[in-house]
Amino acid sequence: MEPGASRIICIGGAAVDRKYRGMATIRPGTSNPVVSERSFGGVARNVAENIARLGTQVSLVSIVGADDNGRALLEHLKRLGVDTRTVAISDTHATAEYVAVLQPDGELAIGLADMAILDGISPALLHKVQPDFGSAWIFADCNLPQETLHDLIGLARQHALMLALDAVSTPKIARLPQDLSGIGVFFLNLDEARVYLDRPEISPEAAAQALLARGAEQVILTLGGRGLVAADPSGIVTIDAVQAEIVDATGAGDALIAATLVSLLRDASLADAARLGTVAAALTVESPVSVRPDLSLALLDSALTARSGPTFEREPS
């Protein structure tokens, strides 16, 4: 990881989120009464907003439509201090949209994504911002086209860049190469790891070891309500989830990523950074919006003291 880096460049999805919360348990095949709201989302965009709220310089590389949604999304980020000069504007596609249908308790019942515009985040767009890579850490999500992802990983290998990557979903993790060298921190959940490794019964610890063996420098493997596994060549750390009253589960993973990266940027260990990430995730699911508006390092530190669970360490076998 580059010494002296003080900011993070986020590359990937920026979208409008529309949430529909069931007034009763969502049932397929029939009409369900809901309440609705609009907010801004996209993995890279959410991570960028969280990073800004945690007091770290951040810029976004993405693409939005030349429409009201795109303009509103950019204005919101600018007010937060996120650098949006590297967000491209498309005249041919609408701004990406994600629809989350939530159960009354906030758990996701179904998610729908119209992300065709993100195919415009091409290698050519990547190379336009490449001069900025040397002085920053990079975070990217697998909403990027496969060619762009492979190009970005190649740049990280060639120039020894600090690249963090989020798998996003089981279909999108297939966009990654089998050789993960060049990825400094790999964020994914157990289902995604099992699909990527083609090992449906593999344990979390074995999955983390297998991902390290394929070249990832550090792995954050999330396990939902069971917490996460953080792994690097020095060993494996299991961190319990932080107890939370779920209002809306959307955005928890993005908050975890942002807090982990900001903590690592401040020279925390992987275990300490991941532990802070679990706190950010817990605080986020207790908020009705995807990015908690009062998020701050002070809030995380306070909640960490009050709520964090045990940590278990072992050496990899």
Side-chain angles (χ1 to χ4, degrees):
M1 299 182 183
E2 303 79 51
S6 60
R7 66 190 184 97
I8 300 172
I9 299 172
C10 296
I11 308 173
V16 170
D17 279 351
R18 299 191 185 276
K19 298 179 185 178
Y20 299 88
R21 183 188 295 269
M23 298 175 68
T25 300
I26 296 295
R27 300 181 182 278
T30 188
S31 177
N32 291 271
V34 299
V35 293
S36 63
E37 64 181 67
R38 185 196 80 163
S39 60
F40 302 117
V43 174
R45 195 222 69 87
N46 284 356
V47 172
E49 180 177 342
N50 277 298
I51 289 171
R53 293 189 182 280
L54 292 173
T56 296
Q57 292 183 341
V58 59
S59 59
L60 178 66
V61 179
S62 189
I63 185 167
V64 299
D67 49 32
D68 289 342
N69 281 337
R71 286 186 286 272
L73 187 154
L74 292 178
E75 284 303 316
H76 180 255
L77 289 176
K78 289 175 184 176
R79 286 195 298 270
L80 294 170
V82 177
D83 185 350
T84 62
R85 290 175 295 175
T86 48
V87 177
I89 309 295
S90 171
D91 294 321
T92 57
H93 290 284
T95 299
E97 187 169 347
Y98 173 71
V99 175
V101 180
L102 306 173
Q103 298 288 3
D105 64 359
E107 287 291 345
L108 183 68
I110 187 170
L112 305 170
D114 176 8
M115 302 288 170
I117 190 174
L118 301 182
D119 289 340
I121 309 178
S122 63
L125 179 59
L126 201 64
H127 285 276
K128 284 183 180 180
V129 298
Q130 184 181 342
D132 294 333
F133 288 173
S135 60
W137 287 9
I138 303 164
F139 166 76
D141 65 50
C142 284
N143 286 308
L144 298 177
Q146 181 170 318
E147 182 183 8
T148 307
L149 275 171
H150 286 223
D151 204 43
L152 180 59
I153 293 169
L155 288 172
R157 292 171 184 161
Q158 182 179 356
H159 299 289
L161 304 175
M162 164 49 185
L163 172 63
L165 206 63
D166 179 43
V168 176
S169 68
T170 51
K172 290 178 180 176
I173 200 171
R175 298 176 180 179
L176 293 176
Q178 292 299 299
D179 179 3
L180 298 176
S181 60
I183 298 176
V185 188
F186 192 18
F187 294 90
L188 73 170
N189 64 35
L190 182 57
D191 286 342
E192 291 158 355
R194 286 171 169 172
V195 167
Y196 176 76
L197 296 167
D198 194 22
R199 297 178 64 182
E201 303 298 328
I202 194 171
S203 70
E205 293 80 5
Q209 288 179 337
L211 295 166
L212 292 175
R214 292 201 182 186
E217 294 178 27
Q218 299 174 313
V219 173
I220 301 290
L221 183 67
T222 58
L223 308 171
R226 294 184 291 143
L228 61 79
V229 168
D232 63 18
S234 69
I236 295 175
V237 178
T238 301
I239 299 172
D240 281 351
V242 175
Q243 290 188 347
E245 295 293 329
I246 297 177
V247 175
D248 184 346
T250 310
D254 306 330
L256 184 148
I257 290 167
T260 301
L261 291 179
V262 168
S263 190
L264 287 172
L265 193 68
R266 293 168 177 256
D267 295 325
S269 68
L270 181 65
D272 287 344
R275 190 178 294 107
L276 198 68
T278 64
V279 175
L283 292 174
T284 298
V285 302
E286 293 180 339
S287 170
V289 292
S290 299
V291 178
R292 185 169 172 137
D294 63 344
L295 190 69
S296 67
L297 283 174
L299 178 64
L300 290 184
D301 288 340
S302 174
L304 177 65
T305 301
R307 298 205 232 178
S308 61
T311 300
F312 305 97
E313 301 188 27
R314 72 175 180 84
E315 293 296 318
S317 57

